[in-house]
Structures are given as structure tokens and as C-alpha cells.
């Protein structure tokens, strides 16, 4: 079976889908200049932001933590006692590196309390290590901090001091953690001399000229070390390389790369120095203990040495007899054992005193004194390491933290075990000392049998030998402790010195440029999208074509002429050409018909149906057709005003009386154009049009004229228009851009589907700027031979509405 020919205005579903894609593209591309301008503005703002904001650089370094055994003697015995041997802990080391005390110590050495800056091209620029002036502050005196001062060199050793920012706080060395706001700054702006001490109740500092030129201006502000510590700690990050690694990465973000590098390097140096000090503490305590013992023995040794020399000289006795020598050797051995036992007992008692007074930092390991007690040695070393671990933890955590409480519990258990061990050691030492004294007394009884001269010499030499042996023994132990202290080195090491990236982490210039451009694009695109989303008026012919289920056969441009008779007043205008194209399009809709009746209406008043009726009738008249324009809007007639006619007779006159309609027609108002006005406004227009005379009128004028144009009332407001549409061969519904509601398309669809109106088509009136809609050649708007070309006579451009109306979120 042969397929019927497609209608020239029939919509193809595939074509409609393609048009939808074009619609999305054209909707935004027609504003490409605005979008490009906004993108440029976004790029410019990103550039300005990148230049004005102070760059922040990331500085990195790393240390390696050696998680090694404590290395104490008798660790196996200590573990058998039920106590764990403490080891270095990565998390504890992280706490130490970020502790307030360590950061505070590093900042104090760097002397960063005074910040200098000068005016730069894009704002103030910090001066670090190259400041042309030096501000020396007495931090033992109350000081005003924060705020900002300006110093301008006036020459001749003088400068002008001014306050740039007066948001000052008062720092007091008596309570450094509490700062109060100070409203009235005591220091006065004015001229001062370099190196002059500026002092008051809230400040004390001096300013020295290092290399400042005359007229140069430098700014400075003050911050106490505690406030600096909080600032640096907040930006300092310490993290392990991975979950199982003992390599710690240190990172800090500052606006000065050199300052960040110096800070991290100083922090790591102080960290290693702190660890070394902890390792040397045992050796130092041992040396202090030995030196305390040596001070008394040294005096006794000197006294006895002088006494021995004097006795030998006075009695001419220099050597003992063979019997005396044997007795002396036995006695010397016992005295040496007693001296060592006295030293051990003194050590045990001093250790017990330290434990009782909680002076755990002064503990000395027994092995350093020469006491070979593995368990006691393990307990002392473990207690020292537990105490160090507690110091590390309390630097970052409170006493209520589970880790600190666990360490305190271990310390308490170790103290108890050590105290019990010391009591046993003291008891054993006292027993051995008593046995040694008994044996010495037995030897002394043998000495009494010697001659008195030899006996006295043996007694003096005995005292000298005892003190000499103890003195030499203590000197050896002190040398061993000093060697141990000198050979100590930190277990942890600096893996990488601080280094900064050449590209700042803030601002990220390329990302900011991208964000600026994207924001410049998204802003107008989003605005256009929101405008269309909230707009209830018809704007786009594509949208009308998509919503309508009746063909859209023409677009009429927006007229700025003072008269509605555009076709007659300007026959070469764009609007006239649009009506010609509409006339041509309707010739396809009325194939084979010599006479044609066309009805024009709209959903509401103001959409331009009368304007279209007049000009459509005029364009048919220009083609040589005999045309009658009939005004059927009996409620609100307007045709008479446009033609300067009197509306005293017309259709209402014919319907209310028995007169003929022909005398009521205004003949040849324009060439080939007659007009039958609506006449005086009747009280019952709907009922008049239901009369048989109205049907007779329609039949008569159809036979009398080639083209009849019916200017009907708005079909959405009155009911009689549907009756009029029954007589016309083509019915046109007029829509107006940015005036008609989108719901008007649904109403037009219902006229065909529910009310059965035949031959129903739509025309869009008041279209602005044909370029906005990509050309509608098939509707006679924006296409056609010679249209828009000066060379063919149609060079009039359609006026665009005010730019601000295009950008409103809803039509006005």
C-alpha cells in the first residue's frame, strides 16, 4: 500500500530529538560572548587572588626511630620478675616531636619573636634573616604583643615610630599563658633615636639600624614564644612513613620556606639532644655520686699520707718485718673487702633514700659502682627508662590518659620490687660487714704482739692503704662512667634534613585558574538555566514546537512601529516578509481552494491576534486577492482604531436588525481590502452569534470574497470563538513570545483533542532577534532568499529587547 505523503509541517520524532539537542546547544551558545566574558573575569580574579594572597610552602624532613631493646643487664631476670622491658615507641616519639616543651625550646633558639615586613608590589612581604633593622625585646618585662608598628628612617640616627594596627594584647612574664586585651597603648607615636631604650609599664624594647636606608619603611610585630609555639604546633604534622615503618615524616606549612627549614632542623637537633641527655643521665648521676665519695676520701688520704711520712722520719722505720708484712697483707685484704662493702652499703642506703623521696632521676645503676647484682641492676635501669617514657608521654598527654596511667602503674610496681630488693641487699651487706669486722678484730689481736714502733707503723700504713685503694677504685669507676657518657650517641637519626618545595601548596595557581574559568562559565550557564527553570512565559519557538501537538506554521517578529499596519507602512520590512511567508505556508494548507476563510484567535487578550489579522489580510490584499477583514470580537473591538474608522456599525448591527450586511462593509479601505467591523458592543454577544443570521452571514461573505480573515475573540476567555471556528477552513492560534504562558500550548492541544477544532495551527508573534533561535526558515522567519542581506533589499534588522530583560529569571 502506498504511504500517504507527509505533511509539510508534520513533526518527525527523530527530527524532534535532534532539534532538542540543537536547542540545548543554541540556548547557551547564543550567550557565548557573556560566557566568555565571565570566564575571563573568573580567570582575572584567580590571577589577582594568586598574586595578593601570601603563598604557603610545605617544608618536610624525616627522622628514623630505632626500635631497639633497652640493652640492660639481666633483662631476662627482669622479665622473670613479671615486669616488661620498655622499648622505644614510635607513637611516643611522635608525641615528643610535637610536644609543647620541645617546640618551645626550638623557637627560643631561633628567636622568631619579632616578625619584620616591608611593602611589596602585591602587599606586605615578610623579611626573614635580612631585616635592615633589629628590635631587641626584654621578655622579662611586660610586653604588648600582636598589633603592628611601622618604623621609617629619618636619617641622622632618628626614626619615626607609628602604630599600623592597634589590636594589642598584654603579655606578662609572671603569667605567660594569660593575655589580656589592652585598649590604650602607652607607647606614643613620634620620633625616636636608634638604639634608644623605649620603656613603659607595658613595653620595653630598643630598635637598632642595621642597614636601613633613609626614607625606608619597615613594619614589625611582636609575639611571645608561647603564642608562637601554639601556632607552629597547630601546623606541624608528624606521621610514620607507613603503618609498620619507624621512619617519621615531619611536615609544616609556612609562608616562609627558609623559616620552616630552620625550624624543622632545629626541632630535630633538639629532639636528638634530648634523647642523648636522657641516655647520659645515668652516667652523670654515677659521676656525681663518685665525686661525692671522692671528696671525703681525698682529704683523708692526704692527711694519712703526711702522718705516715712524718712517723717514718721520726722513728727511722721504713719497712715492716716479715711477720708484720704477712699480718699487714691479711689485714689489707680484709680492709679492702670492708671498704667495698661500705661503699655498697652506702649505695644501697642512698638508693633507698632516693626512692623514698621520689627522686627517680638521681638513680645510679649498680653496675656502674661495681655491684654485680643482675636483678637489682635490671630494676634500676628499667625504672629510669620507665621514668623517661613517662616524661615523653606527659609532654603530650594528661595524667588521666590510659598510656600515662599504665606507665605510672609500671613505675609503682618497679619501685616496690626495687625497694624490696634494696632491703634484702642492705640486710645482706650489714651481715657481711659484721663478719668482716670480726675477722679484722682477730687480726688486730695478732698485731698487738708486735713491737710498739712496728705496730704503730702498721696502723698508719693500714689506714693509708685502705684509703688509697678506695680512692683508686673510685677513680677507675669515674673514668668508666665518663667514657660511657662520652661514647653515648642518639639511637635515632636524622634521615633527611628539612627541605621545602619550590611550588607553594597554597594558593594552587593552576587549580585556581581552572576554578576561576569554570566558575565564570558555570555562573552564567547556571543563571540561564535557573532563568529558564523559573520562567513561565514562552521564550523559545523550539520549545513551543515541542510542546504543541498542532503544527507551528509561522513566526512574526516583534514590531516597534507606531502603527499596527506594518505591511502597508513598510512593505519591505522583516515583519512584512514574515507575513508573506505565512501566506505562502497557508497555501500548502488550502490546496485546491480558491476561496478561503481564516479564523484568528488566542488564549488570552494581548497576544497580538488583531495585529496578525490586520497584517495577514493586508498581505493577501497585496497579492491581488479580494479580502474581507471581519471583526468578530464584539466585547473588545480594536480594528476601527487602527484604520481610523468609526465602529458605529458592523456585525452587531447586522445581527440585531434585519438590515443587509453589505452596506455595513467599509469598501476599499486599502486596495483590495474591505473591512466589516464588529459594531457597537452588545450586551449579549454570545447569544447573537448563535443566531441563524450569523450562519447566513458567514456563507454570504465566503461566497463574496476570495479571502475572509476573522478576528475572533480570545478563545480562552469567551465561548463563542469555538462556534466561529466551525465556519473557517484554517484556524490560527496566536502565541506571543515572553507574554503567553507555557500552559497556552496545552490549551491549544486541548482545542483539537477535546473540542474537536479542525485545521488548527499556531503562529508565534512578537519574536525578538532571529539569531537567538538559529533561524526558522520553514516558518518564514530567519530564512529565505535574500532575507537579511542588504544586496536584496531586505536589510532591516529586528530590534532586540532591552538586555536586562533577557537576563531576568522570569519574563517581565
Amino acid at each position: 500500500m502506498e504511504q500517504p505523503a507527509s505533511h509539510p509541517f508534520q513533526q518527525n520524532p527523530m527530527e524532534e530529538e535532534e532539534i532538542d539537542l540543537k536547542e540545548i546547544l543554541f540556548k547557551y551558545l547564543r550567550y557565548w560572548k557573556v560566557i566568555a566574558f565571565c570566564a575571563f573575569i573568573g580567570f582575572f580574579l584567580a590571577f589577582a587572588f594568586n598574586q595578593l594572597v601570601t603563598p604557603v610552602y610545605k617544608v618536610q624532613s624525616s627522622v628514623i626511630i630505632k626500635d631497639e631493646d633497652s640493652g640492660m643487664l639481666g633483662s631476662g631476670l627482669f622479665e622473670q620478675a613479671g615486669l616488661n622491658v620498655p622499648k622505644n615507641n614510635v607513637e611516643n616519639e611522635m608525641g615528643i616531636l610535637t610536644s609543647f616543651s620541645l617546640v618551645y625550646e626550638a623557637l627560643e633558639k631561633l628567636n622568631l619573636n619579632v616578625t619584620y615586613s616591608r611593602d611589596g608590589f602585591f602587599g606586605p612581604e615578610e623579611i626573614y634573616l635580612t631585616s635592615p633593622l633589629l628590635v631587641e625585646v626584654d621578655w622579662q618585662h611586660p610586653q604588648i604583643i600582636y598589633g603592628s608598628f611601622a618604623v621609617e628612617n629619618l636619617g641622622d640616627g632618628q626614626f619615626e615610630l607609628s602604630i599600623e594596627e592597634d589590636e594589642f594584647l598584654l603579655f606578662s612574664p609572671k603569667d605567660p599563658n594569660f593575655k589580656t586585651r589592652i585598649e590604650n597603648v602607652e607607647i606614643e607615636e613620634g620620633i625616636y633615636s636608634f638604639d634608644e631604650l623605649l620603656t613603659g609599664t607595658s613595653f620595653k624594647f630598643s630598635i637598632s639600624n642595621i642597614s636601613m636606608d633613609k626614607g625606608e619603611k619597615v613594619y614589625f610585630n611582636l609575639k611571645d614564644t608561647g603564642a608562637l609555639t601554639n601556632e607552629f604546633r597547630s601546623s606541624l604534622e608528624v606521621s610514620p612513613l607507613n603503618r609498620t615503618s619507624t621512619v617519621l615524616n615531619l611536615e609544616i606549612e609556612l609562608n616562609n620556606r627558609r623559616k620552616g627549614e630552620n625550624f624543622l632542623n632545629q626541632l630535630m637537633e633538639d629532639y636528638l639532644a634530648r634523647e642523648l641527655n636522657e641516655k647520659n643521665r645515668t652516667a652523670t648521676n654515677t659521676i656525681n655520686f663518685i665525686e661525692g665519695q671522692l671528696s671525703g676520701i681525698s682529704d683523708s688520704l692526704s692527711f694519712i699520707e703526711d702522718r705516715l711520712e712524718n712517723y717514718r722520719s721520726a722513728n727511722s722505720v721504713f719497712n715492716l718485718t716479715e711477720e708484720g708484712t704477712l699480718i699487714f697483707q691479711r689485714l689489707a685484704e680484709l680492709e679492702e673487702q670492708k671498704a667495698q662493702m661500705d661503699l655498697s652499703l652506702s649505695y644501697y642506703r642512698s638508693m633507698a633514700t632516693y626512692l623514698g623521696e621520689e627522686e627517680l632521676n638521681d638513680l645510679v645503676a649498680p653496675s656502674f659502682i661495681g655491684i654485680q647484682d643482675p636483678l637489682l641492676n635490671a630494676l634500676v635501669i628499667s625504672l629510669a627508662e620507665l621514668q623517661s617514657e613517662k616524661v615523653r608521654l606527659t609532654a603530650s598527654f594528661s595524667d588521666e590518659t590510659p598510656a600515662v596511667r599504665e606507665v605510672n602503674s609500671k613505675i609503682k610496681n618497679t619501685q616496690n620490687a626495687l625497694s624490696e630488693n634494696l632491703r634484702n641487699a642492705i640486710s645482706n651487706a650489714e651481715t657481711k660487714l659484721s663478719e668482716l669486722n670480726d675477722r679484722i678484730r682477730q687480726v688486730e689481736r695478732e698485731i698487738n704482739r708486735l713491737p710498739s714502733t712496728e705496730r704503730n707503723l702498721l696502723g698508719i700504713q693500714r689506714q693509708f692503704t685502705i684509703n688509697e685503694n678506695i680512692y683508686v677504685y673510685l677513680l677507675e669507676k669515674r673514668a668508666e662512667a665518663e667514657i660511657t657518657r662520652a661514647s653515648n650517641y642518639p639511637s635515632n637519626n636524622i634521615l633527611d634534613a628539612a627541605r621545602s618545595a619550590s611550588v607553594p601548596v597554597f594558593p594552587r595557581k593552576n587549580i585556581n585558574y581552572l576554578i576561576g574559568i569554570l566558575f565564570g562559565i558555570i555562573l552564567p550557564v547556571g543563571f540561564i538555566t535557573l532563568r529558564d527553570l523559573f520562567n513561565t512565559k514562552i521564550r523559545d519557538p523550539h520549545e513551543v514546537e515541542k510542546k504543541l501537538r498542532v503544527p507551528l506554521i509561522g513566526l512574526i517578529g516583534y514590531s516597534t512601529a507606531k502603527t499596527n499596519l506594518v505591511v502597508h507602512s513598510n512593505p519591505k520590512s522583516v515583519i512584512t516578509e514574515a507575513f508573506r511567508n505565512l501566506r505562502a505556508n497557508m497555501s500548502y494548507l488550502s490546496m485546491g481552494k480558491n476561496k478561503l476563510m481564516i479564523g484568528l484567535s488566542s488564549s488570552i487578550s494581548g497576544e497580538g491576534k488583531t495585529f496578525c489579522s490586520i497584517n495577514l489580510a493586508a498581505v493577501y490584499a497585496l497579492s491581488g486577492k479580494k479580502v474581507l477583514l471581519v471583526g468578530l470580537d464584539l466585547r473588545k473591538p480594536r480594528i476601527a482604531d487602527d484604520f481610523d474608522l468609526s465602529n458605529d456599525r458592523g456585525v452587531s448591527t447586522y445581527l440585531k436588525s434585519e438590515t443587509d450586511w453589505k452596506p455595513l462593509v467599509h469598501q476599499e479601505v486599502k486596495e483590495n481590502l474591505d473591512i466589516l467591523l464588529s459594531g457597537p458592543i452588545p450586551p449579549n454577544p454570545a447569544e447573537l452569534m448563535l443566531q441563524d443570521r450569523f450562519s447566513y452571514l458567514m456563507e454570504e461573505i465566503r461566497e463574496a470574497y476570495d479571502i475572509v480573515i476573522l478576528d475572533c475573540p480570545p478563545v480562552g476567555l469567551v465561548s463563542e470563538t469555538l462556534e466561529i471556528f466551525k465556519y473557517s477552513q484554517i484556524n490560527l492560534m496566536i502565541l506571543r513570545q515572553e507574554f503567553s504562558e507555557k500552559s497556552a500550548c496545552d490549551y491549544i492541544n486541548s482545542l483539537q483533542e477535546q473540542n474537536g477544532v479542525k485545521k488548527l495551527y499556531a503562529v508565534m508573534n512578537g519574536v525578538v532577534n532571529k539569531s537567538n533561535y538559529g533561524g526558522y526558515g520553514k516558518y518564514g522567519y530567519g530564512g529565505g532568499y535574500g532575507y537579511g542581506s542588504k544586496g536584496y533589499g531586505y536589510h532591516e534588522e529586528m530590534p532586540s529587547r532591552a538586555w536586562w530583560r533577557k537576563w531576568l529569571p522570569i519574563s517581565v
Side-chain angles (χ1 to χ4, degrees), residues 368-495:
F368 285 96
I369 306 300
I371 301 174
Q372 301 303 319
D373 188 340
L375 181 57
L376 182 63
N377 195 51
L379 287 169
V380 172
I381 294 178
S382 176
L383 187 60
E385 293 186 354
L386 286 170
Q387 183 65 16
S388 298
E389 186 176 358
K390 178 182 177 181
V391 172
R392 296 173 184 176
L393 290 174
T394 53
S396 302
F397 307 103
S398 66
D399 292 339
E400 299 301 321
T401 305
V404 178
R405 295 172 64 181
E406 182 181 359
V407 170
N408 287 333
S409 177
K410 289 181 179 180
I411 290 175
K412 191 66 177 177
N413 294 335
T414 306
Q415 280 183 280
N416 294 335
L418 182 58
S419 297
E420 182 64 26
N421 194 275
L422 283 174
R423 282 194 294 270
N424 295 332
I426 291 172
S427 178
N428 294 334
E430 289 176 345
T431 301
K432 291 181 180 179
L433 191 60
S434 178
E435 293 176 354
L436 288 172
N437 286 329
D438 291 340
R439 293 174 63 184
I440 290 172
R441 281 192 293 269
Q442 291 178 1
V443 176
E444 286 177 344
R445 283 195 293 268
E446 295 180 12
I447 294 175
N448 290 332
R449 294 197 298 264
L450 296 174
S452 59
T453 302
E454 189 175 357
R455 186 173 62 247
N456 292 333
L457 176 62
L458 189 149
I460 297 172
Q461 191 168 350
R462 166 191 169 190
Q463 294 179 5
F464 175 77
T465 302
I466 293 172
N467 284 281
E468 184 182 32
N469 290 338
I470 294 299
Y471 185 77
V472 172
Y473 176 79
L474 290 177
L475 286 178
E476 291 177 353
K477 292 301 177 182
R478 186 179 69 176
E480 291 176 1
E482 289 177 344
I483 292 172
T484 301
R485 183 172 65 177
S487 62
N488 274 337
Y489 63 92
S491 299
N492 307 325
N493 293 312
I494 297 176
L495 190 60

Side-chain angles (χ1 to χ4, degrees), residues 85-129:
V85 179
K87 297 181 180 181
N88 288 336
N89 187 285
V90 173
E91 292 184 358
N92 292 345
E93 303 305 315
M94 291 169 57
I96 295 173
L97 284 166
T98 58
S99 64
F100 184 92
S101 58
L102 192 65
V103 175
Y104 187 95
E105 182 181 352
L107 290 174
E108 270 202 326
K109 294 178 180 178
L110 292 174
N111 192 23
L112 301 178
N113 302 95
V114 184
T115 303
Y116 305 93
S117 62
R118 61 161 58 98
D119 290 326
F121 184 78
F122 292 103
E125 297 177 350
E126 183 180 356
I127 311 171
Y128 180 64
L129 301 179

Side-chain angles (χ1 to χ4, degrees), residues 85-294:
V85 179
K87 297 181 180 181
N88 288 336
N89 187 285
V90 173
E91 292 184 358
N92 292 345
E93 303 305 315
M94 291 169 57
I96 295 173
L97 284 166
T98 58
S99 64
F100 184 92
S101 58
L102 192 65
V103 175
Y104 187 95
E105 182 181 352
L107 290 174
E108 270 202 326
K109 294 178 180 178
L110 292 174
N111 192 23
L112 301 178
N113 302 95
V114 184
T115 303
Y116 305 93
S117 62
R118 61 161 58 98
D119 290 326
F121 184 78
F122 292 103
E125 297 177 350
E126 183 180 356
I127 311 171
Y128 180 64
L129 301 179
T130 58
S131 173
L133 60 84
L134 174 64
V135 180
E136 295 181 296
V137 184
D138 183 3
W139 291 104
Q140 302 304 316
H141 187 279
Q143 293 289 347
I144 49 176
I145 57 175
Y146 298 103
S148 180
F149 294 95
V151 175
E152 184 177 358
N153 187 6
L154 301 178
D156 299 328
Q158 292 186 322
F159 66 90
E160 182 178 2
L161 180 68
S162 58
I163 299 175
E164 294 296 312
E165 298 179 6
D166 58 356
E167 297 294 327
F168 290 101
L169 297 179
L170 181 61
F171 165 79
S172 174
K174 297 180 180 179
D175 190 1
N177 295 324
F178 181 74
K179 303 175 181 65
T180 58
R181 183 171 296 278
I182 181 170
E183 298 295 339
N184 298 320
V185 182
E186 183 182 0
I187 189 171
E188 295 182 357
E189 297 180 325
I191 299 176
Y192 298 91
S193 298
F194 285 109
D195 301 319
E196 175 185 354
L197 182 63
L198 307 180
T199 183
T201 57
S202 60
F203 61 92
K204 187 177 182 181
F205 60 87
S206 63
I207 301 176
S208 301
N209 185 0
I210 305 300
S211 59
M212 197 174 182
D213 298 329
K214 183 177 180 180
E216 185 177 0
K217 195 172 188 180
V218 176
Y219 306 92
F220 73 89
N221 59 12
L222 308 178
K223 287 185 182 178
D224 64 288
T225 308
L228 282 174
T229 302
N230 291 328
E231 290 181 9
F232 276 74
R233 287 187 70 203
S234 63
S235 57
L236 176 64
E237 292 186 3
V238 180
S239 59
L241 186 63
N242 53 56
R243 298 180 64 179
T244 59
S245 174
T246 59
V247 175
L248 296 181
N249 291 328
L250 285 72
E251 295 181 356
I252 191 169
E253 294 182 358
L254 294 176
N255 55 15
N256 190 291
R257 289 181 286 182
R258 184 71 180 276
K259 182 187 291 185
E261 291 174 355
N262 290 345
F263 168 72
L264 286 186
N265 288 331
Q266 186 65 53
L267 182 69
M268 291 188 296
E269 289 178 6
D270 291 345
Y271 166 72
L272 297 182
R274 180 182 182 135
E275 181 195 357
L276 185 59
N277 289 336
E278 289 182 0
K279 283 193 169 188
N280 288 335
R281 187 171 59 213
T282 301
T284 302
N285 292 340
T286 302
I287 294 172
N288 293 335
F289 175 80
I290 292 175
E291 287 180 346
Q293 299 293 322
L294 284 172

Side-chain angles (χ1 to χ4, degrees), residues 601-614:
S601 183
S602 61
S603 59
I604 59 175
S605 178
E607 292 178 304
K609 62 174 183 60
T610 301
F611 171 79
C612 292
S613 299
I614 294 173

